[in-house]
Amino acid sequence: MLDRMQTEPRPEGAPVDFWEERYAGTTRIWSGSPNSTLVDVVSSLEPGRALDLGCGEGADAIWLAQQGWKATGVDISATAVARARAAASDLGLDESRARFVAADLSTWQSEDAYDLVTASFLQSPVALSRPEILRSVADRIAQGGHLLVISHAAAPPWSRHHHEGGHGGGGFPTPAEELAGLDFDDTEWATVIAEVRSREAVGPDGHEAALDDSVVLLRRMR
Ligand SMILES: C[S@@+](CC[C@H](N)C(=O)[O-])C[C@H]1O[C@@H](n2cnc3c(N)ncnc32)[C@H](O)[C@@H]1O
């Protein structure tokens, strides 16, 4: 599977064009449900200010808002962000609870502080400066706050290009590779979770498969 990924050509085009085309080309890509690992991990945290990186159509940020977090989602696709805003509005969540921003995270900057930053499958077949984005945003995490990174640890078997991690997007990291890429100062950050979790999923063709996710939760100590 990974051999095929490595030999397949990388999709062309700027990241914004690739993702906009992907979202605009269909009515809805994702299920609308939050990622189960995020729900599991975040449920034990005290709600505060949350930032979701690569929020897609907004399900994770909307779930966070429903749990009492003041959530901001950022995604490069304006279509995905419009869908996220519409879904939040339909659920009666105003901008003070669920806010969505269309921006490229490689240049987007925030002056705000966050108690939680999440990145669920912030992986891409086209260019994505993922470690730089995560490191830069981690600076905005308040003392006692958390960074949760959930990634495909291997390509889903039905992935069209076997590329969701992609050459530009950092591949399919193990938890150890994720931690190495972040390269955090361990006097500043405590590793709370660094493990692979399996979950059952159903692909677009209806076939079920067990998918491995790399799950990393870090807590800022100072
Ligand atoms: C695999 S999807 C995951 C979406 C969502 N987090 C989820 O779990 O369903 C990756 C998302 O990252 C976004 N993305 C990719 N590169 C980005 C960038 N440079 N800046 C902001 N968002 C980006 C894509 O538009 C896409 O929505």
Side-chain angles (χ1 to χ4, degrees), residues 15 19-20 22-23 30 33 35 52-58 60 74-77 80 103-106 119-124 126-129 133 152 164:
W19 283 105
E20 187 49 29
R22 183 151 178 199
Y23 280 103
W30 313 113
S33 301
N35 286 293
D52 186 33
L53 307 174
C55 64
E57 292 158 333
D60 283 355
V74 180
D75 200 281
I76 199 169
S77 163
D104 184 341
L105 285 163
S106 60
S120 301
F121 310 105
L122 179 63
Q123 291 168 285
S124 177
V126 291
L128 174 64
S129 46
I133 289 169
H152 295 294
E164 288 296 328

PDB file of all heavy atoms in Angstrom, residues 15 19-20 22-23 30 33 35 52-58 60 74-77 80 103-106 119-124 126-129 133 152 164, ligand 1:
ATOM      1  N   PRO A  15      -2.141  24.150  -2.999  1.00  0.00           N
ATOM      2  CA  PRO A  15      -2.993  23.514  -1.993  1.00  0.00           C
ATOM      3  C   PRO A  15      -4.404  24.089  -1.960  1.00  0.00           C
ATOM      4  O   PRO A  15      -5.383  23.338  -1.883  1.00  0.00           O
ATOM      5  CB  PRO A  15      -2.236  23.784  -0.689  1.00  0.00           C
ATOM      6  CG  PRO A  15      -0.807  23.858  -1.107  1.00  0.00           C
ATOM      7  CD  PRO A  15      -0.811  24.500  -2.465  1.00  0.00           C
ATOM      8  N   TRP A  19      -7.697  21.655  -2.583  1.00  0.00           N
ATOM      9  CA  TRP A  19      -8.733  21.402  -1.576  1.00  0.00           C
ATOM     10  C   TRP A  19     -10.055  22.047  -1.947  1.00  0.00           C
ATOM     11  O   TRP A  19     -11.123  21.481  -1.711  1.00  0.00           O
ATOM     12  CB  TRP A  19      -8.237  21.859  -0.201  1.00  0.00           C
ATOM     13  CG  TRP A  19      -7.266  20.859   0.365  1.00  0.00           C
ATOM     14  CD1 TRP A  19      -5.918  20.982   0.453  1.00  0.00           C
ATOM     15  CD2 TRP A  19      -7.579  19.553   0.878  1.00  0.00           C
ATOM     16  NE1 TRP A  19      -5.365  19.845   0.982  1.00  0.00           N
ATOM     17  CE2 TRP A  19      -6.359  18.961   1.266  1.00  0.00           C
ATOM     18  CE3 TRP A  19      -8.760  18.837   1.053  1.00  0.00           C
ATOM     19  CZ2 TRP A  19      -6.293  17.680   1.808  1.00  0.00           C
ATOM     20  CZ3 TRP A  19      -8.702  17.563   1.596  1.00  0.00           C
ATOM     21  CH2 TRP A  19      -7.478  16.993   1.977  1.00  0.00           C
ATOM     22  N   GLU A  20      -9.995  23.226  -2.548  1.00  0.00           N
ATOM     23  CA  GLU A  20     -11.244  23.876  -2.951  1.00  0.00           C
ATOM     24  C   GLU A  20     -11.960  23.024  -4.001  1.00  0.00           C
ATOM     25  O   GLU A  20     -13.167  22.809  -3.929  1.00  0.00           O
ATOM     26  CB  GLU A  20     -10.942  25.296  -3.469  1.00  0.00           C
ATOM     27  CG  GLU A  20     -12.146  26.145  -3.763  1.00  0.00           C
ATOM     28  CD  GLU A  20     -13.194  26.161  -2.629  1.00  0.00           C
ATOM     29  OE1 GLU A  20     -12.853  26.001  -1.452  1.00  0.00           O
ATOM     30  OE2 GLU A  20     -14.373  26.313  -2.969  1.00  0.00           O
ATOM     31  N   ARG A  22     -11.659  19.859  -4.371  1.00  0.00           N
ATOM     32  CA  ARG A  22     -12.134  18.620  -3.743  1.00  0.00           C
ATOM     33  C   ARG A  22     -13.474  18.854  -3.028  1.00  0.00           C
ATOM     34  O   ARG A  22     -14.391  18.050  -3.126  1.00  0.00           O
ATOM     35  CB  ARG A  22     -11.081  18.105  -2.767  1.00  0.00           C
ATOM     36  CG  ARG A  22     -11.496  16.804  -2.146  1.00  0.00           C
ATOM     37  CD  ARG A  22     -10.341  15.935  -1.754  1.00  0.00           C
ATOM     38  NE  ARG A  22     -10.847  14.724  -1.125  1.00  0.00           N
ATOM     39  CZ  ARG A  22     -10.132  13.936  -0.368  1.00  0.00           C
ATOM     40  NH1 ARG A  22      -8.868  14.205  -0.161  1.00  0.00           N
ATOM     41  NH2 ARG A  22     -10.664  12.864   0.174  1.00  0.00           N
ATOM     42  N   TYR A  23     -13.577  19.974  -2.301  1.00  0.00           N
ATOM     43  CA  TYR A  23     -14.831  20.248  -1.582  1.00  0.00           C
ATOM     44  C   TYR A  23     -15.927  20.711  -2.537  1.00  0.00           C
ATOM     45  O   TYR A  23     -17.076  20.271  -2.425  1.00  0.00           O
ATOM     46  CB  TYR A  23     -14.607  21.301  -0.492  1.00  0.00           C
ATOM     47  CG  TYR A  23     -13.999  20.735   0.765  1.00  0.00           C
ATOM     48  CD1 TYR A  23     -12.651  20.925   1.058  1.00  0.00           C
ATOM     49  CD2 TYR A  23     -14.770  19.990   1.667  1.00  0.00           C
ATOM     50  CE1 TYR A  23     -12.083  20.397   2.208  1.00  0.00           C
ATOM     51  CE2 TYR A  23     -14.201  19.456   2.819  1.00  0.00           C
ATOM     52  CZ  TYR A  23     -12.855  19.667   3.084  1.00  0.00           C
ATOM     53  OH  TYR A  23     -12.298  19.128   4.219  1.00  0.00           O
ATOM     54  N   TRP A  30     -17.325  14.808   4.404  1.00  0.00           N
ATOM     55  CA  TRP A  30     -17.197  14.073   5.668  1.00  0.00           C
ATOM     56  C   TRP A  30     -18.580  13.792   6.258  1.00  0.00           C
ATOM     57  O   TRP A  30     -19.589  14.336   5.799  1.00  0.00           O
ATOM     58  CB  TRP A  30     -16.305  14.856   6.650  1.00  0.00           C
ATOM     59  CG  TRP A  30     -15.044  15.348   6.006  1.00  0.00           C
ATOM     60  CD1 TRP A  30     -14.714  16.650   5.762  1.00  0.00           C
ATOM     61  CD2 TRP A  30     -13.951  14.571   5.478  1.00  0.00           C
ATOM     62  NE1 TRP A  30     -13.488  16.728   5.142  1.00  0.00           N
ATOM     63  CE2 TRP A  30     -12.992  15.477   4.951  1.00  0.00           C
ATOM     64  CE3 TRP A  30     -13.669  13.198   5.405  1.00  0.00           C
ATOM     65  CZ2 TRP A  30     -11.811  15.053   4.356  1.00  0.00           C
ATOM     66  CZ3 TRP A  30     -12.483  12.779   4.809  1.00  0.00           C
ATOM     67  CH2 TRP A  30     -11.569  13.698   4.306  1.00  0.00           C
ATOM     68  N   SER A  33     -20.154  13.928  11.653  1.00  0.00           N
ATOM     69  CA  SER A  33     -19.943  13.529  13.050  1.00  0.00           C
ATOM     70  C   SER A  33     -18.506  13.863  13.452  1.00  0.00           C
ATOM     71  O   SER A  33     -17.599  13.776  12.626  1.00  0.00           O
ATOM     72  CB  SER A  33     -20.138  12.018  13.213  1.00  0.00           C
ATOM     73  OG  SER A  33     -21.430  11.663  12.811  1.00  0.00           O
ATOM     74  N   ASN A  35     -14.788  13.376  15.062  1.00  0.00           N
ATOM     75  CA  ASN A  35     -13.904  12.207  15.124  1.00  0.00           C
ATOM     76  C   ASN A  35     -13.999  11.560  16.509  1.00  0.00           C
ATOM     77  O   ASN A  35     -13.863  12.247  17.534  1.00  0.00           O
ATOM     78  CB  ASN A  35     -12.467  12.635  14.808  1.00  0.00           C
ATOM     79  CG  ASN A  35     -12.299  12.909  13.326  1.00  0.00           C
ATOM     80  OD1 ASN A  35     -12.373  11.996  12.510  1.00  0.00           O
ATOM     81  ND2 ASN A  35     -12.105  14.180  12.956  1.00  0.00           N
ATOM     82  N   ASP A  52      -9.308  24.473  15.996  1.00  0.00           N
ATOM     83  CA  ASP A  52      -9.226  23.235  15.212  1.00  0.00           C
ATOM     84  C   ASP A  52      -8.569  23.539  13.868  1.00  0.00           C
ATOM     85  O   ASP A  52      -9.081  24.336  13.073  1.00  0.00           O
ATOM     86  CB  ASP A  52     -10.640  22.662  15.011  1.00  0.00           C
ATOM     87  CG  ASP A  52     -10.604  21.307  14.325  1.00  0.00           C
ATOM     88  OD1 ASP A  52      -9.636  20.548  14.543  1.00  0.00           O
ATOM     89  OD2 ASP A  52     -11.541  21.006  13.561  1.00  0.00           O
ATOM     90  N   LEU A  53      -7.446  22.893  13.623  1.00  0.00           N
ATOM     91  CA  LEU A  53      -6.645  23.151  12.414  1.00  0.00           C
ATOM     92  C   LEU A  53      -7.075  22.224  11.285  1.00  0.00           C
ATOM     93  O   LEU A  53      -7.114  21.011  11.460  1.00  0.00           O
ATOM     94  CB  LEU A  53      -5.160  22.919  12.724  1.00  0.00           C
ATOM     95  CG  LEU A  53      -4.588  23.667  13.927  1.00  0.00           C
ATOM     96  CD1 LEU A  53      -3.147  23.217  14.197  1.00  0.00           C
ATOM     97  CD2 LEU A  53      -4.631  25.170  13.700  1.00  0.00           C
ATOM     98  N   GLY A  54      -7.365  22.798  10.105  1.00  0.00           N
ATOM     99  CA  GLY A  54      -7.838  21.963   8.996  1.00  0.00           C
ATOM    100  C   GLY A  54      -9.202  21.390   9.354  1.00  0.00           C
ATOM    101  O   GLY A  54      -9.426  20.180   9.299  1.00  0.00           O
ATOM    102  N   CYS A  55     -10.126  22.288   9.716  1.00  0.00           N
ATOM    103  CA  CYS A  55     -11.410  21.870  10.317  1.00  0.00           C
ATOM    104  C   CYS A  55     -12.365  21.257   9.316  1.00  0.00           C
ATOM    105  O   CYS A  55     -13.401  20.704   9.713  1.00  0.00           O
ATOM    106  CB  CYS A  55     -12.074  23.067  10.989  1.00  0.00           C
ATOM    107  SG  CYS A  55     -12.539  24.375   9.826  1.00  0.00           S
ATOM    108  N   GLY A  56     -12.066  21.351   8.016  1.00  0.00           N
ATOM    109  CA  GLY A  56     -12.969  20.787   7.014  1.00  0.00           C
ATOM    110  C   GLY A  56     -14.358  21.370   7.147  1.00  0.00           C
ATOM    111  O   GLY A  56     -14.537  22.596   7.273  1.00  0.00           O
ATOM    112  N   GLU A  57     -15.348  20.502   7.169  1.00  0.00           N
ATOM    113  CA  GLU A  57     -16.748  20.963   7.223  1.00  0.00           C
ATOM    114  C   GLU A  57     -17.228  21.216   8.654  1.00  0.00           C
ATOM    115  O   GLU A  57     -18.422  21.458   8.872  1.00  0.00           O
ATOM    116  CB  GLU A  57     -17.635  19.953   6.489  1.00  0.00           C
ATOM    117  CG  GLU A  57     -17.330  19.985   4.992  1.00  0.00           C
ATOM    118  CD  GLU A  57     -17.716  18.738   4.231  1.00  0.00           C
ATOM    119  OE1 GLU A  57     -17.754  17.650   4.851  1.00  0.00           O
ATOM    120  OE2 GLU A  57     -17.960  18.817   3.020  1.00  0.00           O
ATOM    121  N   GLY A  58     -16.308  21.179   9.609  1.00  0.00           N
ATOM    122  CA  GLY A  58     -16.570  21.759  10.919  1.00  0.00           C
ATOM    123  C   GLY A  58     -17.075  20.841  12.016  1.00  0.00           C
ATOM    124  O   GLY A  58     -17.336  21.311  13.127  1.00  0.00           O
ATOM    125  N   ASP A  60     -15.776  18.648  14.102  1.00  0.00           N
ATOM    126  CA  ASP A  60     -15.062  18.629  15.391  1.00  0.00           C
ATOM    127  C   ASP A  60     -15.269  19.943  16.143  1.00  0.00           C
ATOM    128  O   ASP A  60     -15.549  19.949  17.347  1.00  0.00           O
ATOM    129  CB  ASP A  60     -13.555  18.389  15.176  1.00  0.00           C
ATOM    130  CG  ASP A  60     -13.225  16.931  14.867  1.00  0.00           C
ATOM    131  OD1 ASP A  60     -14.142  16.079  14.903  1.00  0.00           O
ATOM    132  OD2 ASP A  60     -12.042  16.652  14.572  1.00  0.00           O
ATOM    133  N   VAL A  74     -10.217  26.553  11.408  1.00  0.00           N
ATOM    134  CA  VAL A  74      -9.535  27.185  10.265  1.00  0.00           C
ATOM    135  C   VAL A  74      -9.345  26.136   9.181  1.00  0.00           C
ATOM    136  O   VAL A  74      -8.891  25.015   9.465  1.00  0.00           O
ATOM    137  CB  VAL A  74      -8.160  27.761  10.677  1.00  0.00           C
ATOM    138  CG1 VAL A  74      -7.476  28.412   9.477  1.00  0.00           C
ATOM    139  CG2 VAL A  74      -8.305  28.762  11.816  1.00  0.00           C
ATOM    140  N   ASP A  75      -9.672  26.500   7.957  1.00  0.00           N
ATOM    141  CA  ASP A  75      -9.445  25.588   6.836  1.00  0.00           C
ATOM    142  C   ASP A  75      -9.128  26.403   5.583  1.00  0.00           C
ATOM    143  O   ASP A  75      -9.624  27.519   5.400  1.00  0.00           O
ATOM    144  CB  ASP A  75     -10.661  24.698   6.572  1.00  0.00           C
ATOM    145  CG  ASP A  75     -10.282  23.450   5.778  1.00  0.00           C
ATOM    146  OD1 ASP A  75     -10.127  23.559   4.542  1.00  0.00           O
ATOM    147  OD2 ASP A  75     -10.097  22.375   6.406  1.00  0.00           O
ATOM    148  N   ILE A  76      -8.338  25.787   4.724  1.00  0.00           N
ATOM    149  CA  ILE A  76      -7.898  26.462   3.507  1.00  0.00           C
ATOM    150  C   ILE A  76      -9.028  26.569   2.470  1.00  0.00           C
ATOM    151  O   ILE A  76      -8.976  27.435   1.585  1.00  0.00           O
ATOM    152  CB  ILE A  76      -6.668  25.736   2.914  1.00  0.00           C
ATOM    153  CG1 ILE A  76      -5.902  26.635   1.950  1.00  0.00           C
ATOM    154  CG2 ILE A  76      -7.063  24.415   2.269  1.00  0.00           C
ATOM    155  CD1 ILE A  76      -4.549  26.080   1.537  1.00  0.00           C
ATOM    156  N   SER A  77     -10.038  25.721   2.576  1.00  0.00           N
ATOM    157  CA  SER A  77     -11.116  25.712   1.576  1.00  0.00           C
ATOM    158  C   SER A  77     -12.282  26.599   2.006  1.00  0.00           C
ATOM    159  O   SER A  77     -12.924  26.353   3.036  1.00  0.00           O
ATOM    160  CB  SER A  77     -11.624  24.275   1.371  1.00  0.00           C
ATOM    161  OG  SER A  77     -12.880  24.302   0.728  1.00  0.00           O
ATOM    162  N   ALA A  80     -15.491  24.525   2.278  1.00  0.00           N
ATOM    163  CA  ALA A  80     -15.599  23.765   3.526  1.00  0.00           C
ATOM    164  C   ALA A  80     -15.999  24.689   4.669  1.00  0.00           C
ATOM    165  O   ALA A  80     -16.868  24.340   5.485  1.00  0.00           O
ATOM    166  CB  ALA A  80     -14.267  23.076   3.833  1.00  0.00           C
ATOM    167  N   ALA A 103      -8.522  30.200   5.649  1.00  0.00           N
ATOM    168  CA  ALA A 103      -7.141  30.698   5.568  1.00  0.00           C
ATOM    169  C   ALA A 103      -6.174  29.536   5.400  1.00  0.00           C
ATOM    170  O   ALA A 103      -6.467  28.402   5.808  1.00  0.00           O
ATOM    171  CB  ALA A 103      -6.785  31.473   6.838  1.00  0.00           C
ATOM    172  N   ASP A 104      -5.037  29.856   4.796  1.00  0.00           N
ATOM    173  CA  ASP A 104      -3.946  28.882   4.675  1.00  0.00           C
ATOM    174  C   ASP A 104      -3.139  28.925   5.975  1.00  0.00           C
ATOM    175  O   ASP A 104      -2.563  29.964   6.325  1.00  0.00           O
ATOM    176  CB  ASP A 104      -3.072  29.262   3.468  1.00  0.00           C
ATOM    177  CG  ASP A 104      -1.984  28.236   3.219  1.00  0.00           C
ATOM    178  OD1 ASP A 104      -1.653  27.452   4.130  1.00  0.00           O
ATOM    179  OD2 ASP A 104      -1.451  28.239   2.087  1.00  0.00           O
ATOM    180  N   LEU A 105      -3.107  27.814   6.677  1.00  0.00           N
ATOM    181  CA  LEU A 105      -2.432  27.789   7.980  1.00  0.00           C
ATOM    182  C   LEU A 105      -0.929  28.032   7.876  1.00  0.00           C
ATOM    183  O   LEU A 105      -0.292  28.335   8.884  1.00  0.00           O
ATOM    184  CB  LEU A 105      -2.694  26.451   8.675  1.00  0.00           C
ATOM    185  CG  LEU A 105      -4.101  26.310   9.263  1.00  0.00           C
ATOM    186  CD1 LEU A 105      -4.415  24.848   9.537  1.00  0.00           C
ATOM    187  CD2 LEU A 105      -4.229  27.133  10.546  1.00  0.00           C
ATOM    188  N   SER A 106      -0.376  27.889   6.690  1.00  0.00           N
ATOM    189  CA  SER A 106       1.069  28.134   6.576  1.00  0.00           C
ATOM    190  C   SER A 106       1.382  29.625   6.682  1.00  0.00           C
ATOM    191  O   SER A 106       2.528  29.999   6.950  1.00  0.00           O
ATOM    192  CB  SER A 106       1.628  27.548   5.286  1.00  0.00           C
ATOM    193  OG  SER A 106       0.996  28.129   4.187  1.00  0.00           O
ATOM    194  N   ALA A 119      -5.794  18.960  15.769  1.00  0.00           N
ATOM    195  CA  ALA A 119      -5.522  18.766  14.345  1.00  0.00           C
ATOM    196  C   ALA A 119      -5.913  17.328  14.022  1.00  0.00           C
ATOM    197  O   ALA A 119      -5.189  16.391  14.355  1.00  0.00           O
ATOM    198  CB  ALA A 119      -4.050  19.008  14.039  1.00  0.00           C
ATOM    199  N   SER A 120      -7.100  17.165  13.437  1.00  0.00           N
ATOM    200  CA  SER A 120      -7.573  15.824  13.087  1.00  0.00           C
ATOM    201  C   SER A 120      -7.317  15.582  11.607  1.00  0.00           C
ATOM    202  O   SER A 120      -7.926  16.225  10.756  1.00  0.00           O
ATOM    203  CB  SER A 120      -9.074  15.683  13.357  1.00  0.00           C
ATOM    204  OG  SER A 120      -9.375  15.915  14.703  1.00  0.00           O
ATOM    205  N   PHE A 121      -6.378  14.711  11.322  1.00  0.00           N
ATOM    206  CA  PHE A 121      -6.060  14.337   9.941  1.00  0.00           C
ATOM    207  C   PHE A 121      -5.667  15.553   9.111  1.00  0.00           C
ATOM    208  O   PHE A 121      -6.098  15.701   7.965  1.00  0.00           O
ATOM    209  CB  PHE A 121      -7.225  13.555   9.304  1.00  0.00           C
ATOM    210  CG  PHE A 121      -7.687  12.421  10.182  1.00  0.00           C
ATOM    211  CD1 PHE A 121      -8.875  12.499  10.899  1.00  0.00           C
ATOM    212  CD2 PHE A 121      -6.892  11.305  10.352  1.00  0.00           C
ATOM    213  CE1 PHE A 121      -9.274  11.477  11.749  1.00  0.00           C
ATOM    214  CE2 PHE A 121      -7.276  10.270  11.209  1.00  0.00           C
ATOM    215  CZ  PHE A 121      -8.473  10.359  11.902  1.00  0.00           C
ATOM    216  N   LEU A 122      -4.879  16.429   9.716  1.00  0.00           N
ATOM    217  CA  LEU A 122      -4.321  17.559   8.967  1.00  0.00           C
ATOM    218  C   LEU A 122      -3.195  16.991   8.095  1.00  0.00           C
ATOM    219  O   LEU A 122      -2.017  17.080   8.400  1.00  0.00           O
ATOM    220  CB  LEU A 122      -3.795  18.642   9.912  1.00  0.00           C
ATOM    221  CG  LEU A 122      -3.156  19.862   9.241  1.00  0.00           C
ATOM    222  CD1 LEU A 122      -4.177  20.612   8.388  1.00  0.00           C
ATOM    223  CD2 LEU A 122      -2.521  20.791  10.266  1.00  0.00           C
ATOM    224  N   GLN A 123      -3.618  16.316   7.032  1.00  0.00           N
ATOM    225  CA  GLN A 123      -2.713  15.596   6.138  1.00  0.00           C
ATOM    226  C   GLN A 123      -3.162  15.870   4.718  1.00  0.00           C
ATOM    227  O   GLN A 123      -4.357  16.084   4.474  1.00  0.00           O
ATOM    228  CB  GLN A 123      -2.775  14.092   6.446  1.00  0.00           C
ATOM    229  CG  GLN A 123      -2.169  13.757   7.799  1.00  0.00           C
ATOM    230  CD  GLN A 123      -2.460  12.347   8.250  1.00  0.00           C
ATOM    231  OE1 GLN A 123      -3.585  12.053   8.660  1.00  0.00           O
ATOM    232  NE2 GLN A 123      -1.464  11.476   8.194  1.00  0.00           N
ATOM    233  N   SER A 124      -2.236  15.877   3.802  1.00  0.00           N
ATOM    234  CA  SER A 124      -2.580  16.342   2.462  1.00  0.00           C
ATOM    235  C   SER A 124      -1.679  15.710   1.414  1.00  0.00           C
ATOM    236  O   SER A 124      -0.492  15.497   1.666  1.00  0.00           O
ATOM    237  CB  SER A 124      -2.410  17.872   2.415  1.00  0.00           C
ATOM    238  OG  SER A 124      -2.672  18.355   1.121  1.00  0.00           O
ATOM    239  N   VAL A 126      -0.960  17.258  -1.237  1.00  0.00           N
ATOM    240  CA  VAL A 126      -0.214  18.382  -1.822  1.00  0.00           C
ATOM    241  C   VAL A 126       0.530  19.103  -0.705  1.00  0.00           C
ATOM    242  O   VAL A 126       0.377  18.771   0.467  1.00  0.00           O
ATOM    243  CB  VAL A 126      -1.158  19.349  -2.590  1.00  0.00           C
ATOM    244  CG1 VAL A 126      -1.705  18.681  -3.840  1.00  0.00           C
ATOM    245  CG2 VAL A 126      -2.299  19.823  -1.707  1.00  0.00           C
ATOM    246  N   ALA A 127       1.315  20.095  -1.068  1.00  0.00           N
ATOM    247  CA  ALA A 127       2.226  20.720  -0.105  1.00  0.00           C
ATOM    248  C   ALA A 127       1.505  21.154   1.173  1.00  0.00           C
ATOM    249  O   ALA A 127       0.436  21.770   1.120  1.00  0.00           O
ATOM    250  CB  ALA A 127       2.898  21.912  -0.756  1.00  0.00           C
ATOM    251  N   LEU A 128       2.102  20.811   2.298  1.00  0.00           N
ATOM    252  CA  LEU A 128       1.551  21.193   3.604  1.00  0.00           C
ATOM    253  C   LEU A 128       2.711  21.219   4.597  1.00  0.00           C
ATOM    254  O   LEU A 128       3.308  20.186   4.869  1.00  0.00           O
ATOM    255  CB  LEU A 128       0.492  20.176   4.055  1.00  0.00           C
ATOM    256  CG  LEU A 128      -0.073  20.347   5.464  1.00  0.00           C
ATOM    257  CD1 LEU A 128      -0.828  21.667   5.598  1.00  0.00           C
ATOM    258  CD2 LEU A 128      -0.997  19.183   5.814  1.00  0.00           C
ATOM    259  N   SER A 129       3.005  22.397   5.115  1.00  0.00           N
ATOM    260  CA  SER A 129       4.135  22.531   6.043  1.00  0.00           C
ATOM    261  C   SER A 129       3.645  22.201   7.455  1.00  0.00           C
ATOM    262  O   SER A 129       3.597  23.052   8.346  1.00  0.00           O
ATOM    263  CB  SER A 129       4.712  23.945   5.979  1.00  0.00           C
ATOM    264  OG  SER A 129       3.660  24.897   6.014  1.00  0.00           O
ATOM    265  N   ILE A 133       3.462  24.393  10.950  1.00  0.00           N
ATOM    266  CA  ILE A 133       2.140  24.901  11.366  1.00  0.00           C
ATOM    267  C   ILE A 133       1.880  24.508  12.829  1.00  0.00           C
ATOM    268  O   ILE A 133       1.498  25.338  13.654  1.00  0.00           O
ATOM    269  CB  ILE A 133       1.031  24.344  10.441  1.00  0.00           C
ATOM    270  CG1 ILE A 133       1.125  24.984   9.055  1.00  0.00           C
ATOM    271  CG2 ILE A 133      -0.358  24.554  11.050  1.00  0.00           C
ATOM    272  CD1 ILE A 133       0.252  24.311   7.993  1.00  0.00           C
ATOM    273  N   HIS A 152      -3.759   9.776  10.257  1.00  0.00           N
ATOM    274  CA  HIS A 152      -3.723   8.435   9.686  1.00  0.00           C
ATOM    275  C   HIS A 152      -2.304   7.895   9.877  1.00  0.00           C
ATOM    276  O   HIS A 152      -1.340   8.507   9.421  1.00  0.00           O
ATOM    277  CB  HIS A 152      -4.014   8.469   8.181  1.00  0.00           C
ATOM    278  CG  HIS A 152      -5.403   8.934   7.837  1.00  0.00           C
ATOM    279  ND1 HIS A 152      -6.521   8.221   8.160  1.00  0.00           N
ATOM    280  CD2 HIS A 152      -5.836  10.031   7.166  1.00  0.00           C
ATOM    281  CE1 HIS A 152      -7.595   8.858   7.714  1.00  0.00           C
ATOM    282  NE2 HIS A 152      -7.212   9.969   7.112  1.00  0.00           N
ATOM    283  N   GLU A 164      -3.382  10.254   1.501  1.00  0.00           N
ATOM    284  CA  GLU A 164      -3.944  11.279   2.381  1.00  0.00           C
ATOM    285  C   GLU A 164      -2.887  11.925   3.269  1.00  0.00           C
ATOM    286  O   GLU A 164      -3.036  13.053   3.671  1.00  0.00           O
ATOM    287  CB  GLU A 164      -5.097  10.727   3.218  1.00  0.00           C
ATOM    288  CG  GLU A 164      -6.349  10.467   2.394  1.00  0.00           C
ATOM    289  CD  GLU A 164      -6.954  11.723   1.783  1.00  0.00           C
ATOM    290  OE1 GLU A 164      -6.847  12.802   2.385  1.00  0.00           O
ATOM    291  OE2 GLU A 164      -7.534  11.625   0.707  1.00  0.00           O
TER     292      GLU A 164
HETATM  293  C1  LIG B   1      -8.048  15.060   5.543  1.00  0.00           C
HETATM  294  S1  LIG B   1      -8.925  16.553   5.741  1.00  0.00           S
HETATM  295  C2  LIG B   1      -9.467  16.482   7.451  1.00  0.00           C
HETATM  296  C3  LIG B   1     -10.659  17.351   7.723  1.00  0.00           C
HETATM  297  C4  LIG B   1     -11.198  17.295   9.174  1.00  0.00           C
HETATM  298  N1  LIG B   1     -10.236  17.750  10.149  1.00  0.00           N
HETATM  299  C5  LIG B   1     -11.678  15.922   9.523  1.00  0.00           C
HETATM  300  O1  LIG B   1     -11.126  15.283  10.410  1.00  0.00           O
HETATM  301  O2  LIG B   1     -12.642  15.476   8.878  1.00  0.00           O
HETATM  302  C6  LIG B   1      -7.613  17.752   5.771  1.00  0.00           C
HETATM  303  C7  LIG B   1      -8.120  19.174   5.854  1.00  0.00           C
HETATM  304  O3  LIG B   1      -7.010  20.059   5.932  1.00  0.00           O
HETATM  305  C8  LIG B   1      -7.282  21.195   5.163  1.00  0.00           C
HETATM  306  N2  LIG B   1      -6.000  21.807   4.787  1.00  0.00           N
HETATM  307  C9  LIG B   1      -5.020  21.269   4.015  1.00  0.00           C
HETATM  308  N3  LIG B   1      -3.993  22.126   3.900  1.00  0.00           N
HETATM  309  C10 LIG B   1      -4.320  23.233   4.635  1.00  0.00           C
HETATM  310  C11 LIG B   1      -3.663  24.466   4.914  1.00  0.00           C
HETATM  311  N4  LIG B   1      -2.458  24.745   4.405  1.00  0.00           N
HETATM  312  N5  LIG B   1      -4.294  25.382   5.677  1.00  0.00           N
HETATM  313  C12 LIG B   1      -5.536  25.116   6.193  1.00  0.00           C
HETATM  314  N6  LIG B   1      -6.194  23.961   5.980  1.00  0.00           N
HETATM  315  C13 LIG B   1      -5.594  23.029   5.209  1.00  0.00           C
HETATM  316  C14 LIG B   1      -8.081  20.665   3.971  1.00  0.00           C
HETATM  317  O4  LIG B   1      -8.839  21.641   3.308  1.00  0.00           O
HETATM  318  C15 LIG B   1      -8.940  19.607   4.648  1.00  0.00           C
HETATM  319  O5  LIG B   1     -10.173  20.126   5.064  1.00  0.00           O
END
